[in-house]
Amino acid sequence: MKTVLIAAAALLAAALLGIAGSPPAGAARTAPSARVPVPAGLTADEVSFTGYGGLTLHGSVVAPRKAAGPLPGVVLVTGSGSGVPRDHLLTEAVEFARRGLAVLIYDKRSVGYTDFRRSYSELADDALGGVRALRARPGVDPAKVGLWGLSEGGWVAPLAASRSADVAFVIVVGGNAMPPIRQQLWNEASALRRAGASGSLIDHGKRNFARLGADAGLFAEAFFPAEDVLSRVRQPLLGVWGDHDLQTPPGDNPPLFARALRRGGNVHYTFRFFAGADHGAHTTPDGGVTRGEALAPGYADLVGSWVRDATSGKAPVADAPAPPRQEHRSAEVSPSPWWASAWAQLVAFVLFVVAFAAYPLVALVRRVRGRTVRPVSRWAPRLLSGAGLLAALGLLFYLFYLMAAGRAPDPGPVLAGRPLPWLALQGLAVAAVAAVAGTAAAWRRAGAVPAVERVRLGLLVTAGTVFVPWAVYWGLLLP
């Protein structure tokens, strides 16, 4: 039994992100990546700067080889992942430099950043270190240096800007004005919907599994207050989304950005949407599944002209056309109530494993020892122990499997919007509920039973009774 619990806990931990880590003390260093190649007419100079905790970060400044006067500058903040190399954003750096900007790209930290443990505050300090480095470079106008953030960087860049007047502007691409848990749940739910799934698997199973991860501390920055941060941003902001964004809701986010900025009194924002573009505003040949090499037509031109205007006293005023159509809306996600918290779920799971597994094991031990006891019912307790245990374990493993599958889950054959594995789990749950009633009724009819049998049946019925609201919460008893 102990082995089963340890294995289940390990699988849940693996499903809900990675292995925790913490940064070592002192001024640790990241290994610099190779010098980035740039086309003729551009230069790429290696730079180093200090980020959060004294960490030395390495990057490249890509800029026009010949420039008339000091250039505006922009620091590119990449999306999620540990130690993402600077060349991941080389296409953006080259295209923005061709439009007259000095662009800093840098190797993202791996120190102190894991799936379990990440801090947008620390990443924002890293980005501000890049701003200081770019402002200090010859040929860059220190009053015209801003931040550009992709995906996760769309949370980090505004946070950095809210902390420093040295940041002249903010650009977000595929950015979110919603907490990460809401964005991630939309991402995973949309993937399941594209596979044909609907109903309680998405509305309850996926949502509550994500909340469980957040409750257990396995979903880093799950409830990051994105709107509160944006309300403190005073700089002009450009928001860019592709209409084939499969990771961030491109229809829900722009109104949230506008609401948050306006709440802080900032009306200097521009939103633009690119047809045929993916999460990173790259072209995509298959509706957002595959990222193309090229930027969406007109995107780099927009960045170049918008930065020149925003840093020359021509800040935009609430320029926000209607966002693209979004097939499925995202839903707000709140922390779990106390009765569904990680501790409550753990207690319930332990109860199910112990009670449901104990019933047949005790019978087996009795049979081996030749001490049989006439059961109060031949079918109901057996059905309850078997169906209840399979439903509890099966739910955990199925939701783990779907989460581990990422953006391309295969939920199995789908019937009327319900994957067959989910229908099987629902069938087990219904059988377990029926067996609870059957076991309780048979026990009552049987009258007096031996004391040990009363304990055995009492534990089984207790677990079955708890199983009913538990199965409702997880959607196993809902359509």
Side-chain angles (χ1 to χ4, degrees):
M1 189 63 60
K2 181 178 179 181
T3 301
V4 172
L5 294 177
I6 292 174
L11 283 172
L12 178 60
L16 292 170
L17 293 173
I19 300 175
S22 58
R29 291 180 173 268
T30 58
S33 64
R35 181 181 297 272
V36 296
V38 294
L42 301 180
T43 62
D45 296 331
E46 301 304 292
V47 296
S48 297
F49 59 91
T50 302
Y52 172 81
L55 182 72
T56 299
L57 297 166
H58 303 278
S60 302
V61 175
V62 182
R65 185 173 295 279
K66 296 179 180 180
L71 298 172
V74 61
V75 177
L76 305 192
V77 182
T78 191
S80 62
S82 174
V84 180
R86 71 190 81 168
D87 59 8
H88 178 68
L89 297 176
L90 184 57
T91 298
E92 284 81 354
V94 166
E95 294 303 323
F96 297 164
R98 283 173 167 166
R99 271 72 178 179
L101 305 182
V103 187
L104 171 58
I105 51 177
Y106 60 94
D107 303 325
K108 186 177 179 180
R109 69 166 51 233
S110 56
V111 176
Y113 184 107
T114 70
D115 287 334
F116 273 178
R117 196 268 178 203
R118 70 182 69 176
S119 166
Y120 293 167
S121 178
E122 294 176 9
L123 294 176
D125 282 354
D126 290 348
L128 289 176
V131 169
R132 289 190 293 271
L134 193 55
R135 280 167 52 88
R137 285 189 62 80
V140 174
D141 188 335
K144 297 183 178 181
V145 174
L147 286 165
W148 173 102
L150 167 66
S151 193
E152 180 186 79
W155 286 300
V156 173
L159 177 60
S162 73
R163 293 177 174 179
S164 175
D166 289 343
V167 178
F169 59 86
V170 181
I171 302 172
V172 295
V173 181
N176 290 277
M178 57 182 61
I181 192 171
R182 177 174 172 181
Q183 174 267 328
Q184 183 64 19
L185 185 58
W186 179 86
N187 180 345
E188 296 179 3
S190 296
L192 284 173
R193 287 190 173 101
R194 290 193 296 273
S198 62
S200 59
L201 168 60
I202 294 173
D203 298 335
H204 297 273
K206 289 293 295 181
R207 181 196 65 182
N208 292 334
F209 196 60
R211 295 204 301 181
L212 176 61
D215 293 343
L218 305 176
F219 191 150
E221 297 281 14
F223 294 102
F224 177 77
E227 285 200 60
D228 288 345
V229 169
L230 286 166
S231 71
R232 300 194 299 272
V233 172
R234 300 292 178 261
Q235 297 88 339
L237 183 143
L238 170 64
V240 172
W241 290 270
D243 67 350
H244 289 326
D245 193 332
L246 301 183
Q247 299 179 51
T248 289
D252 288 345
N253 272 296
L256 296 179
F257 267 89
R259 181 175 73 183
L261 292 167
R262 284 182 171 276
R263 187 167 47 137
N266 186 353
V267 295
H268 300 297
Y269 55 83
T270 302
F271 300 153
R272 290 293 182 266
F273 313 102
F274 287 89
D278 70 355
H279 179 56
H282 281 241
T283 57
T284 173
D286 49 15
V289 177
T290 304
R291 168 181 163 167
E293 288 298 321
L295 301 185
Y299 164 41
D301 293 332
L302 168 68
V303 170
S305 61
W306 185 90
V307 168
R308 285 191 294 274
D309 288 346
T311 57
S312 302
K314 303 175 184 177
V317 178
D319 184 0
R325 178 180 176 273
Q326 183 180 304
E327 188 171 356
H328 302 289
R329 313 309 299 180
S330 63
E332 293 187 25
V333 183
S334 60
S336 300
W338 68 267
W339 46 265
S341 66
W343 282 109
Q345 294 291 342
L346 178 61
V347 169
F349 187 77
V350 170
L351 175 63
F352 297 154
V353 172
V354 170
F356 294 149
Y359 189 84
L361 288 177
V362 170
L364 178 62
V365 170
R366 284 176 172 172
R367 184 180 298 275
V368 170
R369 294 181 176 181
R371 300 177 182 177
T372 58
V373 175
R374 186 171 181 271
V376 297
S377 170
R378 290 193 175 276
W379 67 270
R382 296 175 181 176
L383 179 60
L384 174 55
S385 65
L389 183 61
L390 287 175
L393 291 175
L395 177 86
L396 174 66
F397 281 95
Y398 187 56
L399 292 178
F400 159 64
Y401 158 74
L402 291 178
M403 178 171 285
R407 284 190 288 164
D410 179 7
V414 177
L415 180 63
R418 306 301 187 268
L420 291 186
W422 185 252
L423 282 174
L425 290 171
Q426 290 187 306
L428 289 169
V430 170
V433 171
V436 173
T439 300
W443 187 4
R444 184 174 181 179
R445 288 194 303 268
V449 295
V452 174
E453 188 66 6
R454 283 200 304 271
V455 173
R456 181 184 177 215
L457 286 171
L459 186 61
L460 184 63
V461 171
T462 298
T465 303
V466 173
F467 179 85
V468 176
W470 179 87
V472 171
Y473 175 77
W474 286 101
L476 292 178
L477 297 177
L478 299 174

